[in-house]
């Protein structure tokens, strides 16, 4: 299959890539036995080891070879004095050629690619000599030693068609059988962080989260029966909750409630707008909002089976109606402080009406799971309750008016009793009861037994990754090939049963965060993390929440993403794409349908392009210059698939026709245009056109079209015209060729990834066999020649307009040694078929234009004397004084049938063809 270079779509997935890439070329890599691609999983196996060989090692899976530990270590079990590391796996090489590797490290590094070895003593970035690689899987091994003050290891590569970049996570693998078992120490550390162990204990490597629980100043909005049941046994009420029980009896619960009630703030009355919204709130609309706005990334509700293990960051909301009233939930979601997130409540930017609809759904079943309290409840004493609250340390996790948290003075490490206290199966009264499973207790004991207050503190990257996990960023977003499982799994379940939700397809997937630290400028990244960035994807129904971060938390996450994703600090502002000297106006043209057609898919100033489907849309280009870094722009346009495999963004390898400059210069002009203050006002309309038939007017689709048995497999800028009488024609506006005729149907759509594709449907009448231009040129001696082919195109398409119930096409053809030809074609429906009227202007006096009627087939040709022969289902008749020319025996023309037009007084050559379609036999 010959693919046009202007529009390259990579095959996603390691299996497809390995099968697709040919084993060609010479290489210095070893011919090791290739692994079964189906047995490969992403990432490299990494072993971290102390410098002393008799000490234990830590084994995990790393997504790529990018790590910066600073003055600390990757795991607290390693000595602060230094450590060794080993990486092993397979590197997928997609194209043959010469590669260089750049190594930045604080110590000795030895890199092996098959039988090729590269070594460095560390320090400044070291660039290897050229290494020749062939396509396929190459074994990769790395050994390193780290003991300097700025510990790091970053290995980049540069290939035949790309500059230095991190090894893409989509191209590093290891065999599934080599995947290490889950690390109980790391699992225990993450569990200890989740339940807030450091709020009460001093634990090496853990940071307290003193407001991990909601404020208890608003208990008036919670039903008493629910609170009593909750305080008696939180684990029974919500299995897996991080809220512990304390073995309280009925009297103690009553006392605690009395104390909380005495300090609670009185609920504020709803304003008139909120009350009116509640009066007309629709649970059905709320259900759709709950499923489409991203709530499923953290919460569950109405589960028919057990709650999935990977959804544990927020409670199941099935019993919310038993806990709170509709009014309190609506106020909670969009109350007086609706513009600000709360410590325990991310802000989703809901309107008053949307909050009311969502609250109506979430509280629609007030009796779910609430047991009936059959015994009478005793009266509570607030004084005793306050003493009890202080004793068990409620203020360590909750904000309670008038109650201070107990300092974290009790250390918890390998010297502590790890069988008692919180980790015992039956803790004494007043000791938190978390309802841990035995496996979780074992993980916590293992973590604590390996911990010491003398252990090295976690790196800043580890703390940032903890923050990403606490806020469940990868519950919705994907990054480097992982993430999005929580939201995706729930959506898959509901999409199968919810017809209304199916209408939101394409609007439910948050953007991929791969390379986001390199993509966004620092200020734009900060705003995005805080949920304060301007909307770049207005078609999305899923929402980015705003969080109330702990001090320094948002900054740590932003710093981690920037430091991890950047390729080289010294090259952050360097560019490869040069500017176009004519200025940004050229770039604005290139954005439109005369250039690369960017505006056919991308939003501009919040406006979605005509006919744009959600799954094909790109971010707002009016925001690109203020959001995106220039180095990332260069890398992204050079090969989008290298950054985001499977993206619908095309790769542009050739310059747009009819516009000066190389491809590099033209893309540089696009960058200038994105920063032009006049971009929105001056940008042209999109390449994609979806125009519905109005009366007898033709139906037009200009988009990706895949005909059958045509010279090319697909046409990125195909122009399909559906005429009155149910007959259709296809023109390629890239190369300016007629491709196909058909009837008894128009187009159907399918989807490949995020890209819509159109397929002709019905009966095929004619398909071009060769890529021949619509107009040929006849020399004075009778020889025929083609228009000049420039950048694989015969000319430049100009515009489409409607004329009556047909269409008019305008395009220019290149002519060697001449300015070019201006061509107009009008296609009009008739009762039996259609008319094609061709006008050619600016023809040099020594040339005669010749119209290509059809190529490669024998037709019934009719002139004033009638049909000369007849085969097939179509007759072609000349209207007017033009004449037939049959060119046979010339391989490039392949028995094409041609028409010689007539020159008018104004110098315009005119020829008209009538196509008559016979009914199907």
């Amino acid at each position: 299959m010959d693919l046009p270079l202007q529009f390259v779509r990579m095959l996603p997935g390691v299996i497809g890539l390995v099968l697709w890439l040919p084993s060609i070329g010479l290489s210095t890599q070893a011919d090791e036995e290739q692994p079964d691609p189906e047995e490969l999983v992403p990432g490299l196996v990494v072993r971290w080891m102390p410098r002393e060989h008799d000490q234990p090692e830590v084994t995990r899976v790393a997504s790529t070879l990018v790590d910066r530990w600073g003055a600390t270590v990757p795991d607290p079990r390693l000595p602060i004095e230094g450590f060794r590391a080993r990486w092993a796996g397979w590197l997928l090489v997609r194209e043959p050629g010469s590669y260089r590797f750049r190594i930045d490290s604080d110590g000795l590094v030895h890199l092996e690619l098959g039988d090729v070895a590269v070594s460095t003593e560390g320090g400044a970035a070291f660039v290897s000599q050229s290494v020749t690689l062939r396509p396929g899987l190459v074994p990769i091994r790395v050994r390193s030693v780290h003991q300097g003050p700025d510990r790091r290891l970053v290995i980049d590569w540069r290939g035949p068609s790309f500059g230095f970049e991190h090894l893409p996570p989509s191209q590093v693998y290891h065999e599934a059988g080599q995947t290490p078992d889950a690390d109980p120490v790391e699992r225990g550390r993450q569990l200890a962080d989740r339940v807030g162990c450091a709020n009460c204990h001093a634990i090496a490597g853990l940071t307290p989260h003193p407001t991990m629980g909601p404020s208890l100043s608003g208990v008036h909005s919670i039903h008493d029966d629910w609170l009593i049941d909750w305080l008696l046994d939180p684990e029974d009420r919500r299995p897996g909750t991080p809220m512990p029980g304390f073995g309280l009896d009925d009297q103690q619960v009553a006392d605690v409630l009395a104390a909380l009630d005495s300090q609670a703030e009185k609920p504020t009355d709803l304003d008139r707008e909120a009350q009116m919204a509640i009066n007309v709130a629709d649970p059905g609309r709320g259900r759709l909002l709950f499923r489409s706005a991203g709530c499923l990334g953290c919460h569950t509700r109405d589960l028919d089976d057990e709650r999935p293990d990977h959804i544990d960051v927020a409670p199941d909301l099935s019993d919310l109606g038993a806990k709170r009233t509709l009014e309190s939930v609506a106020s909670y979601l969009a109350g007086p402080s609706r513009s600000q997130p709360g410590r325990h409540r991310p802000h989703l930017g809901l309107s008053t009406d949307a909050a009311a609809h969502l609250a109506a759904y979430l509280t629609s079943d007030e009796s779910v799971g609430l047991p009936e309290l059959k015994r009478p409840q005793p009266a509570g004493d607030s004084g005793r309750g306050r003493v009890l609250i202080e004793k068990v340390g409620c203020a360590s996790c909750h904000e309670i008016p008038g109650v201070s948290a107990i300092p974290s003075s009790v250390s918890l490490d390998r010297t502590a009793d790890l069988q008692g206290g919180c980790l015992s199966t039956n803790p004494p009264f007043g000791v938190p009861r978390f309802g841990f499973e035995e496996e979780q207790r074992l993980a916590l004991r293992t973590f604590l037994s390996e911990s010491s207050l003398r252990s090295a503190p976690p790196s800043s990257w580890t703390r940032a990754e903890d923050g990403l996990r606490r806020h469940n960023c990868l519950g919705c977003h994907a990054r480097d090939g992982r993430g999005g499982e929580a939201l995706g799994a729930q959506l898959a379940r509901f999409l199968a049963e919810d017809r209304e939700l199916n209408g939101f397809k394409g609007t439910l997937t948050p953007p991929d965060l791969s390379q986001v630290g390199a993509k966004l400028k620092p200020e734009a990244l900060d705003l995005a993390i805080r949920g304060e960035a301007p909307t770049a994807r207005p078609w999305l129904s899923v929402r980015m929440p705003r969080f109330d971060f702990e001090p320094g938390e948002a900054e740590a996450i932003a710093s981690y993403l920037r430091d991890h994703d950047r390729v080289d600090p010294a090259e952050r502002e360097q560019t490869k794409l040069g500017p176009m000297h004519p200025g940004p106006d050229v770039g604005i043209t290139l954005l439109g349908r005369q250039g690369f057609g960017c505006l056919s898919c991308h939003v501009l100033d919040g406006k979605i392009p005509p006919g744009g489907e959600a799954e094909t849309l790109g971010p707002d280009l009016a925001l690109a210059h203020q959001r995106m870094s220039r180095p990332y722009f260069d890398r992204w346009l050079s090969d989008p698939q290298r950054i985001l495999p499977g993206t619908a963004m095309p790769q542009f390898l050739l310059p747009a026709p009819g516009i000066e400059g190389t491809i590099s210069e033209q893309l540089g002009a696009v960058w200038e245009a994105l920063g032009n203050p006049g971009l929105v006002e001056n940008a042209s309309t999109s390449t994609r056109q979806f125009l519905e038939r109005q009366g007898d007017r033709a139906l037009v689709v200009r988009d990706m079209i895949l005909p059958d048995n045509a010279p090319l497999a697909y046409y990125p800028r195909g122009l399909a015209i559906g005429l009155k009488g149910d007959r259709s024609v296809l023109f390629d506006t890239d190369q300016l060729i007629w491709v196909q005729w058909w009837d008894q149907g128009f187009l159907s759509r399918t989807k490949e990834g995020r890209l819509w594709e159109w397929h002709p449907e019905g009966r095929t009448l004619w398909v071009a066999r060769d890529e021949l231009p619509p107009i040929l040129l006849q020399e004075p001696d009778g020889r025929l020649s083609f228009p000049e082919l420039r950048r694989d195109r015969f000319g430049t398409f100009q515009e489409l307009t409607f004329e009556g119930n047909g269409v008019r096409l305008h395009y220019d053809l290149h002519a060697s040694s001449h300015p070019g030809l201006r061509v107009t074609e009008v296609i009009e429906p008739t009762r039996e078929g259609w008319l094609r009227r061709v006008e050619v202007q600016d023809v040099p006096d020594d040339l005669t234009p010749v119209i290509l009627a059809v190529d490669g087939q024998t037709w019934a040709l009719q002139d004033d004397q009638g049909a000369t022969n007849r085969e097939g289902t179509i007759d072609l008749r000349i209207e007017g004084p033009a004449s037939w020319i049959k060119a046979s025996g010339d391989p490039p023309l392949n028995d094409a049938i041609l028409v010689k037009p007539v020159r008018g007084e104004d110098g315009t050559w005119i020829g008209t063809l009538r196509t008559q379609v016979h009914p199907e036999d």
Side-chain angles (χ1 to χ4, degrees):
M1 178 174 68
D2 295 326
L3 299 180
L5 293 178
Q6 187 73 10
F7 195 99
V8 176
R9 292 188 299 169
M10 300 296 292
L11 298 174
V14 60
I15 298 175
L17 281 167
V18 172
L19 296 177
W20 174 61
L21 288 167
S23 297
I24 59 174
L26 300 177
S27 171
T28 58
Q29 67 203 59
D31 293 325
E32 295 195 13
E33 182 179 352
Q34 294 282 295
D36 183 352
E38 295 185 0
E39 296 297 323
L40 293 177
V41 291
L44 302 173
V45 177
V46 56
R47 296 161 54 212
W48 288 309
M49 299 160 285
R51 287 184 299 170
E52 301 299 328
H53 291 265
D54 58 345
Q55 294 179 335
E57 63 184 42
V58 178
T59 306
R60 295 191 193 150
V61 174
S63 62
T64 188
L65 286 160
V66 181
D67 271 302
R68 302 179 192 274
W69 304 286
T72 184
V73 293
D75 187 274
R77 287 165 284 183
L78 299 172
I80 191 64
E81 293 79 16
F83 59 94
R84 299 174 293 128
R86 301 287 186 271
W87 281 263
W90 296 86
L91 173 64
L92 176 63
V93 179
R94 287 177 171 166
E95 56 182 326
S98 178
Y99 289 79
R100 289 180 182 267
F101 290 82
R102 183 173 61 193
I103 302 173
D104 182 23
S105 179
D106 62 295
L108 174 67
V109 178
H110 183 76
L111 166 66
E112 295 180 5
L113 295 162
D115 60 359
V116 178
V118 177
S119 297
T120 174
E121 296 293 334
F126 167 84
V127 179
S128 74
Q129 297 294 320
S130 295
V131 176
T132 301
L133 299 176
R134 66 184 181 215
L137 289 164
V138 184
I140 179 171
R141 300 176 183 88
V142 179
R143 292 178 291 161
S144 61
V145 178
H146 305 275
Q147 56 189 13
D150 182 18
R151 298 168 186 176
R152 66 199 183 278
L153 176 65
V154 179
I155 298 182
D156 299 331
W157 68 338
R158 184 179 70 192
S161 63
F162 60 91
F164 277 115
E165 65 179 23
H166 299 328
L167 298 182
S170 61
Q171 290 179 238
V172 291
Y173 300 89
H174 68 278
E175 295 172 62
Q178 302 297 320
T179 302
D181 295 333
D183 183 357
V185 174
E186 179 60 16
R187 186 180 180 195
R189 190 190 71 83
Q190 294 184 13
L191 180 59
D193 184 70
R194 176 177 175 265
V195 300
C197 294
N199 292 358
C200 298
H201 299 278
I203 304 176
L206 287 188
T207 303
H209 308 299
T211 55
M212 61 178 293
S215 171
L216 298 184
S217 62
V219 294
H220 284 308
S221 64
I222 302 177
H223 295 309
D224 287 345
D225 288 352
W226 192 94
L227 265 177
I228 292 170
D229 185 55
W230 176 253
L231 291 176
L232 286 171
D233 192 348
E235 175 68 21
D236 181 66
R237 185 73 193 162
R238 285 180 175 169
T241 177
M243 166 73 180
F246 293 94
L248 304 179
D249 59 25
D250 289 351
Q251 182 61 63
Q252 290 165 330
V253 168
D255 293 341
V256 169
L257 289 180
L260 294 176
D261 187 70
S262 67
Q263 299 291 332
E265 301 172 355
K266 291 184 178 181
T268 57
D269 294 332
L270 294 174
D271 57 34
R272 181 176 178 81
E273 180 187 6
Q275 189 59 61
M276 291 178 63
I278 287 174
N279 291 340
V280 295
D282 180 1
R285 294 177 65 179
R287 181 193 68 246
L288 194 60
L289 182 61
F290 179 75
R291 295 179 175 182
S292 63
C295 306
L296 297 176
C298 295
H299 293 280
T300 54
R301 191 178 191 274
D302 296 338
L303 289 176
D304 297 328
D305 47 16
E306 188 175 347
R307 182 174 162 94
D309 291 336
H310 57 261
I311 304 178
D312 62 357
V313 295
D316 179 83
L317 299 180
S318 298
D319 66 344
L320 191 58
K323 178 180 179 181
R324 296 180 181 271
T325 64
L326 186 157
E327 289 78 10
S328 68
V329 175
S331 179
Y332 182 84
L333 292 172
S337 61
R338 66 181 67 136
S339 62
Q340 295 295 329
R343 251 325 166 195
H344 200 253
R345 172 183 57 87
H347 174 57
L348 284 173
L350 298 176
S351 66
T352 302
D353 288 341
H357 293 314
L358 183 54
Y361 166 65
L362 293 175
T363 59
S364 57
D365 191 347
E366 301 178 359
S367 62
V368 174
L370 185 64
E372 182 180 353
L373 299 175
K374 298 181 179 179
R375 57 187 183 279
Q377 298 302 302
D381 182 282
S382 61
R384 292 198 305 264
R386 183 183 180 88
V387 171
L388 189 56
I389 286 173
E390 292 176 345
K391 179 178 180 179
V392 301
C394 298
S396 296
C397 296
H398 299 275
E399 179 185 350
I400 305 175
V403 181
S404 300
I406 300 174
S408 305
S409 58
V410 179
S411 63
L412 196 58
D413 61 10
R414 66 184 66 171
T415 64
D417 177 11
L418 301 181
Q419 300 299 320
C422 307
L423 294 176
S424 68
T425 56
N426 187 25
F429 170 76
V431 175
R433 303 181 177 192
F434 287 99
F436 293 133
E437 298 177 356
E438 188 56 37
E439 184 182 3
Q440 293 175 313
R441 289 193 183 90
L442 177 61
L444 286 167
R445 290 185 182 118
T446 305
F447 161 61
L448 295 171
S449 67
E450 297 286 345
S451 298
S452 169
L453 294 181
R454 294 187 301 275
S455 297
S459 68
S460 61
W461 283 24
T462 298
R463 292 195 296 270
E465 289 171 338
D466 288 344
L468 290 169
R469 185 178 59 255
R470 280 194 300 274
H471 293 287
N472 197 35
C473 300
L474 297 187
C476 293
H477 294 277
R479 175 172 165 82
D480 293 342
R482 63 187 182 93
E485 293 89 356
L487 180 62
Q490 292 215 78
L491 283 173
R493 178 168 60 92
F494 287 121
L495 283 169
E497 65 185 41
D498 191 333
R499 180 175 298 179
E500 286 185 287
L501 186 64
N502 266 275
F504 284 77
K505 279 188 175 181
T507 75
L508 303 173
T509 305
D512 194 295
L513 298 185
S514 300
Q515 294 294 304
V516 68
K519 173 182 179 179
L520 297 182
K521 295 179 178 179
E523 59 275 15
L525 180 62
D526 293 341
L527 290 175
I529 291 171
R530 296 181 183 278
E532 299 173 358
T535 301
R537 296 171 175 83
W539 70 90
L540 288 181
S541 59
V542 64
R543 299 163 181 255
M544 171 66 184
R546 291 176 57 196
F547 294 98
D548 187 5
F549 290 98
E550 296 175 358
E553 190 177 29
E555 293 81 359
I557 293 173
S559 177
Y560 160 70
L561 293 173
R562 284 194 294 268
D563 290 345
H564 185 281
D565 295 348
R566 66 184 181 183
V567 175
D568 184 352
E571 296 180 354
R572 287 181 67 87
E573 298 306 322
Q574 294 182 12
T575 61
K576 294 185 299 181
L577 304 183
M580 274 288 289
H581 295 295
D585 289 345
V586 172
I588 291 178
T589 300
L590 287 164
L591 288 169
R593 64 187 181 191
Q594 303 302 319
F596 298 119
C598 308
L599 296 177
S600 67
C601 292
H602 280 275
V603 173
L604 184 65
D605 196 30
K607 298 179 178 63
I608 295 175
E613 294 283 350
E615 292 175 280
T616 70
L617 296 176
D620 196 329
L621 292 183
L623 300 173
H625 210 268
Q626 69 186 67
R627 296 175 66 242
M628 187 184 298
S629 73
R630 175 64 190 271
Y632 179 89
F633 174 84
D634 295 352
R635 289 180 58 215
W636 173 249
L637 288 190
S638 67
D639 190 350
Q641 297 290 340
R642 296 196 62 78
I643 296 177
L644 199 60
T647 179
M649 174 73 181
Q651 180 184 13
F652 297 102
L653 300 177
L654 295 174
I659 300 177
E660 63 177 296
T662 65
I663 181 64
S664 176
E665 291 171 334
Q666 288 189 0
L667 294 177
V670 169
W671 174 257
E672 290 188 18
L674 295 176
N676 186 343
L679 170 65
V680 174
E681 180 181 356
N682 298 321
S684 62
T685 57
S686 65
T687 297
R688 176 184 286 134
Q689 298 179 24
F690 298 84
L691 305 175
E692 295 183 0
R693 180 181 285 122
Q694 298 177 4
D696 289 340
R697 197 177 77 172
L699 176 65
V700 171
V701 170
R702 187 176 178 198
D703 199 8
M704 170 80 76
I705 299 178
L706 285 76
D708 295 327
N709 303 317
L712 298 179
Y714 59 90
Y715 294 83
R717 294 182 178 89
L719 174 61
I721 305 167
L723 299 168
K724 179 183 177 182
D726 199 25
R727 295 169 182 110
S728 306
V729 293
L730 175 60
F731 186 72
D732 177 17
T733 62
D734 262 347
Q735 292 188 307
L736 304 183
I737 62 172
W738 286 101
V739 179
Q740 182 174 344
W741 305 342
W742 71 100
D743 68 354
Q744 302 176 12
F746 185 46
L747 295 174
S748 60
R749 287 192 306 180
T750 60
K751 186 176 61 178
E752 181 68 27
R754 295 176 58 234
L755 197 66
W756 283 109
E757 298 174 343
W758 299 82
H759 303 261
E761 57 181 10
R763 178 179 62 157
T764 299
L765 302 174
W766 168 80
V767 177
R769 293 187 181 180
D770 294 308
E771 299 176 38
L772 299 180
I775 305 295
L776 304 178
L777 296 171
Q778 189 173 43
E779 305 285 347
D781 60 2
R783 292 183 297 109
L784 293 174
S785 62
F786 289 180
E788 185 178 0
L789 196 63
R790 301 176 187 172
R791 304 189 185 102
D792 292 332
R793 291 171 172 82
F794 293 112
T796 303
F797 187 79
Q798 297 298 336
E799 64 176 339
L800 163 77
T801 58
F802 287 101
E803 180 156 315
N805 56 7
V807 296
R808 177 185 290 267
L809 312 181
H810 300 263
Y811 55 87
D812 295 335
L813 291 174
H814 305 312
S816 180
S817 303
H818 298 286
L821 311 180
R822 294 173 55 198
V823 183
T824 299
E825 296 205 28
V826 177
I827 309 296
E828 296 180 343
T830 64
R831 187 175 63 180
E832 300 86 5
W834 62 89
L835 282 176
R836 176 189 175 198
R837 186 173 71 251
V838 182
E839 300 178 1
V840 187
Q841 296 178 308
D842 298 337
V843 181
D845 292 338
D846 59 340
L847 296 176
T848 300
V850 177
I851 303 169
L852 175 68
V854 294
D855 73 301
Q857 299 181 32
T858 302
W859 301 94
L861 305 181
Q862 297 185 3
D863 51 23
D864 293 340
Q865 287 73 42
T868 57
N869 55 59
R870 176 170 179 167
E871 290 184 14
T873 59
I874 297 179
D875 293 343
L876 296 179
R877 176 187 292 273
I878 296 176
E879 299 283 329
S883 57
W884 292 110
I885 300 175
K886 183 165 183 178
S888 60
D890 191 348
L893 296 180
N894 195 20
D895 294 328
I897 298 172
L898 309 172
V899 174
K900 184 176 180 179
V902 175
R903 185 175 184 177
E905 294 181 358
D906 61 354
T908 301
W909 294 81
I910 302 175
T912 303
L913 278 168
R914 179 184 293 272
T915 302
Q916 298 182 181
V917 180
H918 297 286
E920 190 171 16
D921 295 335

